[in-house]
Amino acid sequence: MELTQKAAWFSFAGDSSASLQLDLAIKAAPSYAPARLVSACWFMQEGRWDLVREDLSVSTIKDTPEGRLLRELAERQPRAPDWRHAFFDAWTALGRPDFRKSTLLPVPLEWNHLISTGFTRSPKDESWRFPLAVMHPGSLEQDQQWALEQVRVSPSVPLLMALREQLYSFEEQAPLRRFLLSAVEERLGQLAGSSPRTLQLALASFLAGGSLSAPFTRQELETLEKIVSVREWKQPSSEQFFLEMRGLVGMMFAPGHHALAMATLAQGASLGLSLLGKARASKAHLSEDEQRWMGRLLWDVGARLLEQRSRLEWETGLRLQMFGSELTQHVPSREQCIALWVELGKWEEAVKQAAYYRWPLAPLVEESCAPRARDELVWMQAFAGKGALP
């Protein structure tokens, strides 16, 4: 089982080390269906259709829903325009089978999983080093001074925002977070200037250095009211930053997957969640009028996030608006939020039904990254039967 999952990670990355792991797994248990499934996926992306058929003919996988889908995909892919449409059409043709409880598929490739730090070719220069370090912040433990120097001169708001998100995932007393976070927030403050051009930058400065569990003071609410007048959540867009990162890490295995991880981190969703946490801590300390005031401010921040086109930004925006509408006691607004939350959940479940991120096919994963960076909502809606797959 461990060998099979290890092989799956290599297969997700398009790394030929998958072949060695699969040899070991299949020698240990020739009829083990999960290993045969990963093997079929590996040989499929290698164009070894004879070996794909051999794996799928093993009795333990032959008549399973997973085996049927892979056979349908093997039939369609050679004449399809790309992998993602071949997969989607195969899944649809089979009646959209539900793979959410599959015991044959490996664990899903989550958006923030660093599959590999290996390279498929030598990089041209050093421009990849800091983005890769942000992707893999644990690597900075041994070179904190270099990291600090990079932070102090970086002109990239999304790259620094991504690093901020990574550092906030560390324990509060973790040495790297204690050493680097204040420098990241200071640099973001410098880039924001006295009139931040985005709400994301304004909130980063507003929340920097303070206790995220302490209630808002009236002065802070007054400051927040000025901040929410900024009408744009972030710049550049997720798609623009994805393309920039895709260019910088193009020599890595699974460059699209890693670039999408960076673009998702750069969305700065923890800013909204921190704001929500402080608002919850403040509720008991505010009068009803002040609660309604704070609720309106949360609603406005949520509105900026809901103008974005990613699942994470939408989830964060809806959380802010649901609590905001609870504070304002405006029932229609709350009902609107709940309806959108239910819809978003349906779209997410539809993607999980297809288990799109559990099939260890590197081109399938890579092809999904650009459409998701452009408009993840449209991507998810297609699996729910609402529109064409981009």
Side-chain angles (χ1 to χ4, degrees), residues 91 119 139-140 144 148-149 162 165 193 206-207 214 221 242 252 288 291 299 328 340 364:
W91 179 62
F119 293 172
S139 66
L140 296 174
Q144 294 188 12
L148 181 61
E149 292 167 5
E165 293 291 293
F206 174 67
L207 294 167
L221 287 175
F242 164 80
M252 292 182 69
E288 284 194 12
Q291 287 183 31
W299 181 272
T328 59
L340 285 174
L364 190 65

Side-chain angles (χ1 to χ4, degrees), residues 33-298:
R36 287 293 184 171
L37 181 146
V38 175
S39 180
C41 288
W42 172 250
F43 287 126
M44 198 177 290
Q45 59 189 304
E46 289 287 285
R48 297 294 306 276
W49 302 106
D50 55 332
L51 296 178
V52 171
R53 286 190 291 273
E54 180 181 320
D55 279 319
L56 296 179
S57 67
V58 174
S59 60
T60 52
I61 192 173
K62 183 178 180 181
D63 295 321
T64 64
E66 293 86 351
R68 284 193 289 273
L69 185 135
L70 285 177
R71 281 196 296 278
E72 185 73 22
L73 176 57
E75 286 294 319
R76 291 173 177 272
Q77 199 285 323
R79 60 178 187 273
D82 49 48
W83 284 85
R84 67 183 186 274
H85 284 93
F87 173 88
F88 187 81
D89 291 345
W91 179 62
T92 302
L94 293 175
R96 298 178 174 243
D98 190 346
F99 295 110
R100 280 175 288 190
K101 295 182 180 179
S102 172
T103 58
L104 303 189
L105 289 165
V107 299
L109 177 63
E110 301 292 351
W111 67 265
N112 56 353
H113 182 82
L114 183 66
I115 306 177
S116 169
T117 55
F119 293 172
T120 60
R121 55 182 167 79
S122 298
K124 294 179 181 179
D125 52 37
E126 295 283 293
S127 60
W128 57 272
R129 283 193 65 198
F130 189 43
L132 180 57
V134 172
M135 247 185 275
H136 183 35
S139 66
L140 296 174
E141 299 277 4
Q142 306 304 317
D143 206 351
Q144 294 188 12
Q145 195 57 45
W146 175 83
L148 181 61
E149 292 167 5
Q150 298 303 307
V151 166
R152 285 174 172 169
V153 299
S154 176
S156 174
V157 168
L159 191 55
L160 291 167
M161 196 63 69
L163 180 54
R164 181 189 181 279
E165 293 291 293
Q166 294 281 52
L167 292 172
Y168 265 99
S169 70
F170 283 54
E171 293 290 335
E172 196 168 340
Q173 296 305 312
L176 184 64
R177 173 171 168 163
R178 293 184 66 185
F179 179 77
L180 209 52
L181 180 58
S182 60
V184 171
E185 293 183 329
E186 181 181 353
R187 181 59 179 154
L188 283 169
Q190 291 169 356
L191 293 172
S194 57
S195 300
R197 63 186 183 277
T198 66
L199 183 52
Q200 186 193 62
L201 270 174
L203 282 176
S205 296
F206 174 67
L207 294 167
S211 170
L212 300 182
S213 59
F216 284 121
T217 64
R218 183 173 183 83
Q219 184 178 1
E220 286 174 328
L221 287 175
E222 289 171 350
T223 302
L224 185 59
E225 182 155 40
K226 295 174 184 175
I227 286 173
V228 300
S229 64
V230 179
R231 307 307 296 174
E232 191 168 31
W233 174 248
K234 69 178 190 292
Q235 275 293 343
S237 69
S238 291
E239 182 181 23
Q240 288 174 300
F241 187 55
F242 164 80
L243 293 172
E244 179 187 343
M245 290 296 102
R246 178 66 177 75
L248 288 177
V249 301
M251 70 292 177
M252 292 182 69
F253 286 105
H257 167 75
H258 292 118
L260 182 63
M262 291 292 284
T264 304
L265 286 167
Q267 291 164 4
S270 74
L271 291 166
L273 296 178
S274 296
L275 196 65
L276 181 59
K278 283 185 72 70
R280 290 190 185 282
S282 303
K283 182 180 178 181
H285 302 271
L286 300 176
S287 67
E288 284 194 12
D289 284 346
E290 288 171 328
Q291 287 183 31
R292 282 192 286 271
W293 178 26
M294 184 173 67
R296 180 175 55 79
L297 300 178
L298 294 180

Side-chain angles (χ1 to χ4, degrees), residues 14 44 106 304 372:
M44 198 177 290
R304 300 288 78 76
R372 288 158 65 195

